[in-house]
């Protein structure tokens, strides 16, 4: 074989990884570089059909440097978090042989060869949904496959954790716990699956992407300020979360929605209380977020048992978890009643699993305009509406963990030159 053909090959792998939403929140680090948390957290993985990151990683002797493209734009890999993930995964790389292509990469080669990474989110980054969680999980998962890393998902999660804390929970589908760990080197701070996505498949998730003008404090700096100034955070991490984690695990095990929703809502509210207890205070929720909480609380209290749980991360978007499909259709009716769209395009106002809106009898804008007020407010003063406060809704459900995409047409890099397609 000529030297040229040996230098021109490109080997690549494409993977798809979901995002996740915490129902017991991670907020606060005990080690900033290793990203070690002050408490355990629990999350639900969201269906990657609606929210996910796709990443292609490639290696070739012809690459001059490590490069990365995010949503088509080249970004810098010089940040410490990228470097930690690349270093940790390279340290575990094993020999790779592709007989068909006549490629052999030894353990030592991985230290010399450069890689190209292209990543794409199937949801708008501007929506403020946790894109770093799916992103770092996908980067680590895809590189692990490319470099024939033998570690299991939990061990990979401890690497993804060093990219972004919440990313470690995206290595699994269903319900996931990030165990905070005790070791100083972080080796036992990793994610484990509590139950897969089939365990509790009645649940339906509706995300209200709330319009907001202001740029929020990033999670990273927000939690740093909370650790430095909030006494409530200390109390939460030491006394509250450990007990709550046990109760949440039990609620998930027993599919006990009443307990699940009570714990989820309380924990979200305590996280935002910690933000208020931070000096200077951090406000992630806005008036629209508060309205959504009131609507859900009022409805839940008018029923015999809770129908919907709410949770909010470091921004105003509401993640609403309905106990089943019936509750989800009643939820969508309520949300559309209070938050009619600004435009007349229903198709872009409800995205994801559109069948839930159809079940709720919503097939067009006129169906929204004629929705009756929810019965739980019938004795009150005619309720106000808040047109335009929600940008759009995403209907989804709990979903599976990372997968490889073996069809080369789904790759984001060109197999000839390793550059974005
Ligand atoms: C409110 O994982 O984004 O979403 O570890 O600094 O990258 P870094 O922070 P990040 O924080 C997520 C915080 C949260 C709660 C959660 O997902 O548990």
């Amino acid at each position: 074989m000529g030297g040229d053909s040996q230098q021109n090959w490109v080997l690549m792998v494409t993977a798809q990884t979901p995002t996740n939403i915490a129902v017991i929140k991670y907020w606060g680090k005990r080690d900033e570089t290793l990203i070690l948390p002050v408490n355990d957290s629990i999350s639900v993985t969201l269906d990657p059909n609606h929210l996910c990151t796709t990443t292609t990683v490639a290696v070739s002797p012809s690459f001059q440097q490590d490069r990365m493209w995010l949503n088509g734009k080249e970004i810098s890999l010089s940040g410490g978090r990228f470097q930690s993930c690349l270093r940790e995964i390279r340290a575990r790389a094993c020999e790779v042989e592709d007989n068909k292509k006549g490629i052999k990469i030894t353990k030592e080669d991985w230290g010399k060869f450069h890689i190209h990474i292209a990543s794409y989110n199937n949801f708008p980054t501007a929506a403020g949904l946790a894109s770093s969680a799916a992103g770092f999980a996908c980067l680590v998962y895809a590189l692990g496959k490319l470099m024939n890393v033998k570690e299991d998902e939990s061990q990979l999660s401890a690497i993804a954790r060093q990219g972004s804390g919440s990313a470690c929970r995206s290595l699994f589908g269903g319900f996931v716990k990030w165990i905070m760990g005790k070791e100083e080197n972080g080796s036992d701070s990793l994610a484990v699956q509590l139950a897969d996505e089939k365990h509790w498949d009645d649940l339906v998730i509706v995300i209200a992407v709330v319009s907001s003008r202001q740029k929020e404090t990033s999670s990273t700096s927000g939690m740093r300020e909370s650790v430095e100034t909030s006494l409530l955070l200390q109390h939460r991490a030491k006394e509250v979360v450990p007990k709550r984690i046990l109760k949440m695990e039990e609620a998930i095990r027993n599919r006990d929605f009443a307990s699940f929703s009570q714990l989820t809502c309380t924990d979200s509210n305590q996280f935002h209380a910690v933000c208020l207890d931070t000096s200077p205070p951090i406000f992630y929720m806005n008036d629209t977020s508060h309205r959504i909480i009131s609507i859900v609380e009022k409805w839940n209290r008018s029923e015999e048992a809770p129908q919907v749980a709410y949770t909010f991360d470091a921004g105003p978007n509401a993640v609403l978890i309905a106990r089943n499909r019936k509750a989800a259709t009643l939820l969508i009716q309520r949300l559309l009643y209070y938050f009619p769209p600004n435009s007349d395009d229903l198709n872009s106002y409800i995205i994801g699993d559109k069948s839930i809106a159809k079940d709720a009898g919503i097939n067009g804008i006129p169906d929204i305009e004629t929705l009756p007020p929810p019965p739980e407010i019938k004795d009150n003063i005619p309720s106000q509406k808040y047109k335009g406060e929600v940008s759009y809704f995403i209907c989804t459900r709990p979903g599976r963990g990372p997968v490889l995409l073996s069809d080369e047409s789904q790759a984001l890099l060109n197999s000839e030159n390793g550059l974005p397609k």
Side-chain angles (χ1 to χ4, degrees):
M1 199 182 290
D4 259 7
S5 64
Q6 273 182 8
Q7 291 309 300
N8 282 340
W9 55 262
V10 176
L11 190 67
M12 55 185 206
V13 162
T14 302
Q16 190 182 66
T17 303
T19 185
N20 71 79
I21 177 75
V23 290
I24 301 290
K25 303 291 184 193
Y26 147 53
W27 196 251
K29 298 181 183 73
R30 60 181 204 277
D31 185 312
E32 288 264 344
T33 320
L34 287 170
I35 311 198
L36 301 177
V38 295
N39 56 255
D40 293 350
S41 54
I42 293 180
S43 60
V44 181
T45 296
L46 304 182
D47 187 342
N49 287 316
H50 307 130
L51 296 162
C52 73
T53 297
T54 303
T55 301
T56 300
V57 292
V59 63
S60 167
S62 68
F63 295 167
Q64 298 300 307
Q65 51 172 328
D66 293 342
R67 295 177 76 181
M68 173 159 183
W69 294 264
L70 176 60
N71 298 321
K73 256 184 66 187
E74 181 153 17
I75 61 163
S76 163
L77 277 172
S78 65
R81 289 169 171 218
F82 278 117
Q83 290 303 316
S84 300
C85 290
L86 294 177
R87 183 191 62 238
E88 293 303 312
I89 207 89
R90 274 195 171 108
R92 292 163 179 79
C94 296
E95 188 175 295
V96 171
E97 235 185 313
D98 186 324
N99 290 328
K100 263 199 292 188
K101 290 188 174 166
I103 302 170
K104 186 174 170 174
I105 308 172
T106 65
K107 240 170 136 82
E108 293 68 43
D109 284 339
W110 287 115
K112 304 194 296 254
F113 287 164
H114 292 290
I115 49 170
H116 284 183
I117 305 160
S119 203
Y120 166 82
N121 298 322
N122 72 347
F123 54 95
T125 321
L129 299 162
S131 53
S132 67
F136 277 106
C138 206
L139 174 67
V140 168
Y141 184 81
L143 283 175
K145 294 291 174 197
L146 178 75
M147 299 185 178
N148 195 17
V149 168
K150 302 289 192 328
E151 262 77 355
D152 64 18
E153 270 75 5
S154 276
Q155 289 163 316
L156 289 179
S157 81
I159 301 176
R161 187 201 76 227
Q162 298 174 56
S164 179
S166 52
C168 75
R169 298 185 311 238
S170 274
L171 267 304
F172 296 98
F175 296 85
V176 185
K177 173 158 96 160
W178 174 9
I179 301 168
M180 64 180 284
K182 291 198 264 311
E183 300 295 335
E184 255 178 56
N185 67 8
S187 57
D188 59 350
S189 186
L190 40 75
V192 295
Q193 187 177 55
L194 297 175
D196 70 17
E197 62 278 15
K198 289 187 257 351
H199 168 71
W200 198 351
D201 63 358
D202 284 348
L203 301 180
V204 175
I205 299 171
V206 178
I207 303 172
V209 177
V210 170
S211 321
S212 101
R213 273 143 278 118
Q214 80 196 58
K215 172 99 187 76
E216 286 104 27
T217 313
S218 76
S219 304
T220 307
S221 55
M223 68 176 83
R224 184 184 307 129
E225 289 160 23
S226 293
V227 167
E228 283 166 5
T229 62
S230 169
L231 281 177
L232 179 56
L233 179 140
Q234 314 286 329
H235 172 69
R236 163 178 166 74
K238 245 217 224 91
E239 308 291 339
V240 182
V241 175
K243 296 181 191 113
R244 222 170 245 175
I245 288 277
L246 295 174
K247 288 191 185 146
M248 182 58 92
E249 287 188 59
E250 189 180 304
I252 291 168
R253 203 163 38 240
N254 301 329
R255 299 183 203 89
D256 177 351
F257 190 80
S259 173
F260 174 83
S261 90
Q262 195 266 330
L263 292 163
T264 298
C265 299
T266 305
D267 199 70
S268 171
N269 289 333
Q270 185 174 69
F271 153 51
H272 291 277
V274 166
C275 293
L276 272 185
D277 190 50
T278 300
S279 178
I282 307 167
F283 310 106
Y284 284 127
M285 294 195 283
N286 63 18
D287 288 351
T288 312
S289 319
H290 293 144
R291 281 195 247 290
I292 294 173
I293 293 182
S294 300
I295 291 163
V296 172
E297 288 280 354
K298 194 177 273 175
W299 178 31
N300 278 344
R301 270 175 285 124
S302 76
E303 300 280 344
E304 262 166 40
Q307 301 298 303
V308 173
Y310 55 81
T311 186
F312 296 79
D313 276 349
N317 298 334
V319 179
L320 304 163
I321 308 175
R323 67 182 310 147
N324 55 30
R325 226 182 138 80
K326 177 76 192 143
T329 60
L330 295 170
L331 171 66
I332 276 286
Q333 287 171 343
R334 282 167 172 80
L335 292 170
L336 293 173
Y337 173 82
Y338 286 106
F339 303 103
N342 239 344
S343 81
D344 51 12
D345 182 17
L346 183 65
N347 207 35
S348 59
Y349 197 54
I350 304 176
I351 64 171
D353 178 0
K354 294 175 194 279
S355 69
I356 295 178
K358 292 218 167 61
D359 280 9
I362 313 287
N363 294 299
I365 302 294
D367 298 326
I368 297 179
E369 283 161 359
T370 53
L371 278 169
E376 63 269 19
I377 58 160
K378 66 177 181 302
D379 298 331
N380 291 351
I381 345 114
S383 59
Q384 237 183 301
K385 296 196 176 193
Y386 306 96
K387 193 177 179 145
E389 288 196 6
V390 171
S391 302
Y392 56 94
F393 295 100
I394 307 170
C395 294
T396 185
R397 64 179 77 80
R400 61 162 160 70
V403 289
L404 279 181
L405 303 180
S406 44
D407 184 353
E408 215 169 79
S409 70
Q410 288 167 297
L412 304 175
L413 295 170
N414 193 308
S415 60
E416 301 289 307
N417 59 12
L419 291 170
K421 278 183 176 170

